[in-house]
Amino acid sequence: MPLSRTLSMSSLPGLEDWEDEFDLENTVLFEVAWEVANKVGGIYTVLQTKAKVTGDEWGDNYYLVGPYTEQGVRTQVELLEPPTPALKKTLDCMNSKGCKFLAQNEEKPHVVAHFHEWLAGVGLCLCRARRLPVATIFTTHATLLGRYLCAGAVDFYNNLENFNVDKEAGERQIYHRYCMERAAAHCAHVFTTVSQITAIEAQHLLKRKPDIVTPNGLNVKKFSAMHEFQNLHAQSKARIQEFVRGHFYGHLDFNLDKTLYFFIAGRYEFSNKGADVFLEALARLNYLLRVNSSEQTVVAFFIMPARTNNFNVETLKGQAVRKQLWDTANTVKEKFGRKLYESLLVGSLPDMNKMLDKEDFTMMKRAIFATQRQSFPPVCTHNMLDDSSDPILTTIRRIGLFNSSADRVKVIFHPEFLSSTSPLLPVDYEEFVRGCHLGVFPSYYEPWGYTPAECTVMGIPSISTNLSGFGCFMEEHIADPSAYGIYILDRRFRSLDDSCSQLTSFLYSFCQQSRRQRIIQRNRTERLSDLLDWKYLGRYYMSARHMALAKAFPEHFTYEPHEADATQGYRYPRPASVPPSPSLSRHSSPHQSEDEEEPRDGPPDIDGERYDEDEEAAKDRRNIRAPEWPRRASCASSTGGSKRSSVDTAPSSSLSTPSEPLSPASSLGEERN
């Protein structure tokens, strides 16, 4: 069942404006989560990236509360003295009396406490049970029961209303945790979740309809020149190529200039993250590339942490052989250069037959002999503790992708998070993503999806699904997502085999693009980064906090939610250089903005396309409303009267008005490519 849309993603720039800001001078915000300075999953990224915009709004009245871990304190926390006497008094009392007090302020402030996930929800339930004067917000980033159900290979989204939630939670031995999550959702003044697809899930499993959807954002770094992020891509790709040279030594019979790097990354949930679909699609892609005699080679990376006992010997040997070859080449180059220099000094052209002696050839022959290997390059870079039962390795054995010379698709499973200090692949995750060509995330259960979002802000195309919050969000705001490098796989209304066929089609089409076409697509992808900036998406969290204050302290705060107007919001138009085509999905054609025009006549580029990056970027900018980040209130106190939140609709003149806006529910059900 679709949610009614009071405040949802369709009104992104049309979120209400406040004529008078809330008085934050005597208001304190506590944000509580298990992942504060404690990296476990995506919530850590939410809190870390959102901290700046929240701090700009709340100043010194913003506090994050999380678990104390020695590792987290050493690496992520700067120890400071409490900034206010009230906080110092509070902390001293908590230390001496076992954390029994929350406030020791003579003038009682208005407190907003925002709790993330069920682990922090215990504190929320206690706040309400003890009737503390605290405005509470609870955000579920993924329901506990939903994650377990999807991992059990059930038809989850088409049977949401049919689950006996108590029975399902009990059978999976998570009933106590499920009850805590459900209690927190019902006790909170304001209940939020991160995407519309998760909001529908929460309504059925937690039995409360979220008050507002708060999409996850990122801190977007904009470059002064468009080519700068393209240069970063080239530099990072060169680092990956060095690893590939060593990993495939002895079998490096493919052209690295015609090699594409695909990757999937995240928590090792084989089915939920779509690794099963990705592997099957790679097998089909391998077949298509071979039968069509394609010169393209694909190297697919699986970056998913699993249980290992260190790197395997063959993988380390590959990097050692690569380094030995590099050292040998440098030694011969130096001797050659010295002889050339001496010959030129005496004024004679060098005798090329004497430039390299027998010793040099012997050294090079030994280096070449060291590159001989009898086995295929390894699929996995580590020694797995559960090699025989590992889902990825078991599937690879079944589909037969063993990195043979005949395979056009090579697979590398790296069961460990990336690090710049690794002796094997010394790059951090961001650098690795920038060096790849395509991120593939065909998830079945993905409440938001930070991995494709991170790809987007770095200008890397990605594949997501209509069951991920990110996929639904981008589908709603982009008239033709694939033209911008956002491929959305249908996993809700297609069978598994049909979804796999669609993914194979996406991958094969991407392989057929020329280098010029990939550069153009990366430019378009990077332009979408404004959609994911916390400067925009942080406003949803602002709205949730204002809503909670109005519910908890109605005598001081007023909040008047507005009904969503179908004309609010915006969609990126189809790029001007992409001609209309009947093959495009049905939902993209009605959403051309009033600024969208037919492609202008002009000389085609080397690939036969008409493309003007500046012209396209200008057209996109005309459809984006400049972010309105609220200033921090300068009022001293709210005791003399209430601050009123006045709601106005966004100025329609600054937005492009879609002619046929879609709700997430309707867009999920539309016919796909």
Side-chain angles (χ1 to χ4, degrees):
M1 293 176 59
L3 286 171
S4 61
R5 301 169 61 87
T6 52
L7 282 175
S8 96
M9 297 177 292
S10 65
S11 54
L12 177 61
L15 202 62
E16 60 259 43
D17 300 321
W18 296 283
E19 288 182 352
D20 294 320
E21 298 170 3
F22 276 23
D23 178 15
L24 302 180
E25 191 67 29
N26 195 36
T27 307
V28 180
L29 171 63
F30 289 93
E31 203 152 5
V32 187
W34 186 253
E35 295 194 35
V36 172
N38 179 36
K39 187 171 183 178
V40 178
I43 301 174
Y44 171 88
T45 306
V46 174
L47 299 172
Q48 182 193 50
T49 58
K50 187 171 64 65
K52 183 182 185 303
V53 294
T54 310
D56 290 342
E57 180 191 1
W58 289 80
D60 290 337
N61 291 346
Y62 175 48
Y63 303 96
L64 286 159
V65 181
Y68 183 95
T69 62
E70 288 294 335
Q71 177 68 15
V73 169
R74 285 197 302 267
T75 59
Q76 303 184 54
V77 175
E78 181 182 355
L79 298 177
L80 300 172
E81 289 297 319
T84 63
L87 184 61
K88 186 178 188 305
K89 188 177 179 182
T90 300
L91 294 176
D92 289 342
C93 268
M94 292 174 69
N95 287 331
S96 63
K97 299 184 180 180
C99 301
K100 293 182 180 178
F101 298 90
L102 279 169
Q104 299 291 323
N105 201 2
E106 294 180 0
E107 181 182 357
K108 299 294 185 182
H110 297 115
V111 177
V112 182
H114 191 154
F115 300 86
H116 294 266
E117 290 293 273
W118 71 273
L119 287 164
V122 178
L124 188 153
C125 295
L126 290 175
C127 285
R128 298 309 304 275
R130 297 176 181 178
R131 301 183 182 275
L132 299 181
V134 175
T136 57
I137 305 170
F138 180 67
T139 297
T140 180
H141 295 257
T143 70
L144 189 67
L145 182 56
R147 190 180 295 278
Y148 273 80
L149 286 169
C150 287
V154 300
D155 188 3
F156 178 68
Y157 291 98
N158 293 321
N159 290 284
L160 272 172
E161 66 278 5
N162 300 324
F163 290 116
N164 183 333
V165 291
D166 293 307
K167 175 177 177 292
E168 298 290 350
E171 289 180 350
R172 287 160 178 78
Q173 299 182 358
I174 58 168
Y175 187 70
H176 58 298
R177 287 184 281 169
Y178 165 75
C179 288
M180 186 57 64
E181 181 181 45
R182 184 168 171 177
H186 283 267
C187 288
H189 289 102
V190 173
F191 174 42
T192 82
T193 189
V194 296
S195 65
Q196 195 72 18
I197 192 74
T198 312
I200 299 172
E201 172 189 342
Q203 184 175 0
H204 287 289
L205 299 187
L206 300 181
K207 307 303 181 183
R208 179 176 177 181
K209 172 184 172 181
D211 299 287
I212 182 172
V213 169
T214 52
N216 291 332
L218 288 163
N219 291 327
V220 176
K221 177 184 177 182
K222 302 299 289 185
F223 294 97
S224 57
M226 178 63 69
H227 65 269
E228 288 186 38
F229 84 94
Q230 297 280 9
N231 291 340
L232 289 175
H233 165 75
Q235 294 167 12
S236 299
K237 184 178 70 173
R239 300 287 298 275
I240 297 174
Q241 283 180 333
E242 282 302 294
F243 166 79
V244 169
R245 287 187 175 99
H247 191 82
F248 290 93
Y249 82 92
H251 290 268
L252 198 62
D253 52 1
F254 52 92
N255 188 347
L256 288 179
D257 290 332
K258 294 183 178 180
T259 299
L260 300 177
Y261 301 113
F262 298 169
F263 80 99
I264 183 174
R267 187 185 292 110
Y268 194 176
E269 296 178 1
F270 184 64
S271 298
N272 281 357
K273 295 297 184 183
D276 53 346
V277 178
F278 187 27
L279 280 168
E280 184 64 38
L282 287 175
R284 300 183 186 187
L285 175 66
N286 185 47
Y287 172 79
L288 289 174
L289 294 176
R290 289 174 62 178
V291 299
N292 289 289
S293 301
S294 174
E295 295 182 350
Q296 286 283 12
T297 300
V298 171
V299 177
F301 290 89
F302 287 73
I303 312 296
M304 292 180 157
R307 297 175 61 211
T308 68
N309 60 3
N310 218 329
F311 305 106
N312 64 46
V313 174
E314 187 62 23
T315 303
L316 290 173
K317 180 182 176 182
Q319 300 308 311
V321 168
R322 178 192 61 80
K323 187 177 184 304
Q324 180 187 11
L325 290 174
W326 178 259
D327 292 341
T328 300
N330 278 333
T331 300
V332 174
K333 181 180 69 174
E334 289 176 4
K335 292 179 65 176
F336 184 94
R338 186 165 53 252
K339 291 180 179 179
L340 176 62
Y341 173 66
E342 292 172 352
S343 177
L344 294 176
L345 278 177
V346 298
S348 63
L349 292 176
D351 184 352
M352 300 306 295
N353 294 325
K354 297 180 179 178
M355 295 300 289
L356 296 177
D357 55 29
K358 185 177 180 180
E359 181 182 350
D360 296 328
F361 281 102
T362 300
M363 185 188 307
M364 290 188 289
K365 287 179 180 179
R366 286 174 178 171
I368 293 174
F369 181 76
T371 66
Q372 306 304 309
R373 73 195 315 180
Q374 303 301 318
S375 61
F376 293 144
V379 167
C380 186
T381 59
H382 292 60
N383 295 320
M384 301 290 291
L385 293 181
D386 302 315
D387 184 281
S388 61
S389 59
D390 180 80
I392 289 179
L393 296 181
T394 301
T395 305
I396 287 174
R397 295 183 188 107
R398 177 177 59 81
I399 62 180
L401 286 180
F402 298 123
N403 293 340
S404 70
S405 298
D407 289 329
R408 301 267 43 86
V409 173
K410 320 288 185 179
V411 177
I412 299 176
F413 179 23
H414 188 281
E416 190 178 69
F417 285 127
L418 296 171
S419 170
S420 59
T421 60
S422 169
L424 189 65
L425 182 54
V427 295
D428 58 28
Y429 179 72
E430 180 178 341
E431 185 179 7
F432 174 79
V433 172
R434 284 194 184 277
C436 289
H437 296 93
L438 181 69
V440 185
F441 315 104
S443 305
Y444 185 76
Y445 186 78
E446 191 71 76
W448 175 244
Y450 254 123
T451 42
E454 289 165 337
C455 286
T456 302
V457 300
M458 287 187 269
I460 303 301
S462 65
I463 297 175
S464 57
T465 76
N466 59 358
L467 294 181
S468 71
F470 172 85
C472 295
F473 180 87
M474 301 305 277
E475 192 172 40
E476 189 173 15
H477 290 291
I478 307 173
D480 184 8
S482 61
Y484 286 92
I486 307 296
Y487 300 90
I488 300 173
L489 184 68
D490 185 358
R491 292 208 61 183
R492 186 172 187 184
F493 301 107
R494 293 193 181 202
S495 67
L496 185 61
D497 184 69
D498 288 343
S499 296
C500 188
S501 297
Q502 187 187 26
L503 177 57
T504 306
S505 176
F506 286 160
L507 298 178
Y508 186 65
S509 297
F510 190 88
C511 290
Q512 291 180 306
Q513 291 183 2
S514 66
R515 180 176 179 271
R516 172 68 169 167
Q517 289 170 326
R518 293 196 301 271
I519 291 173
I520 291 173
Q521 192 175 62
R522 283 197 295 273
N523 287 335
R524 293 171 181 162
T525 303
E526 197 271 344
R527 290 208 306 270
L528 299 179
S529 58
D530 285 330
L531 275 173
L532 302 169
D533 199 324
W534 275 123
K535 291 180 181 179
Y536 287 106
L537 300 184
R539 301 171 69 197
Y540 287 105
Y541 279 86
M542 291 170 53
S543 187
R545 292 190 288 266
H546 289 199
M547 188 186 300
L549 283 167
K551 288 185 177 182
F553 310 108
E555 67 277 10
H556 295 287
F557 301 97
T558 302
Y559 180 87
E560 297 178 358
H562 73 300
E563 292 296 325
D565 187 345
T567 63
Q568 292 179 3
Y570 67 91
R571 290 170 65 88
Y572 273 71
R574 185 183 303 115
S577 62
V578 177
S581 169
S583 65
L584 293 175
S585 56
R586 187 170 62 88
H587 67 277
S588 61
S589 54
H591 293 282
Q592 298 180 24
S593 72
E594 57 190 17
D595 286 330
E596 186 174 353
E597 302 172 358
E598 292 295 320
R600 297 182 179 181
D601 293 332
D605 64 18
I606 58 175
D607 294 311
E609 290 185 346
R610 294 180 175 87
Y611 174 71
D612 187 324
E613 169 62 28
D614 293 334
E615 179 182 321
E616 282 198 2
K619 286 181 180 293
D620 283 347
R621 282 194 296 270
R622 288 200 292 268
N623 290 288
I624 300 176
R625 184 186 184 192
E628 297 181 3
W629 189 241
R631 298 180 304 278
R632 194 163 173 265
S634 58
C635 302
S637 174
S638 63
T639 56
S642 65
K643 285 283 182 179
R644 183 177 182 82
S645 166
S646 176
V647 180
D648 293 327
T649 56
S652 58
S653 61
S654 64
L655 304 175
S656 67
T657 305
S659 60
E660 188 183 326
L662 296 173
S663 68
S666 60
S667 65
L668 283 173
E670 290 209 1
E671 182 179 354
R672 301 299 197 278
N673 288 350

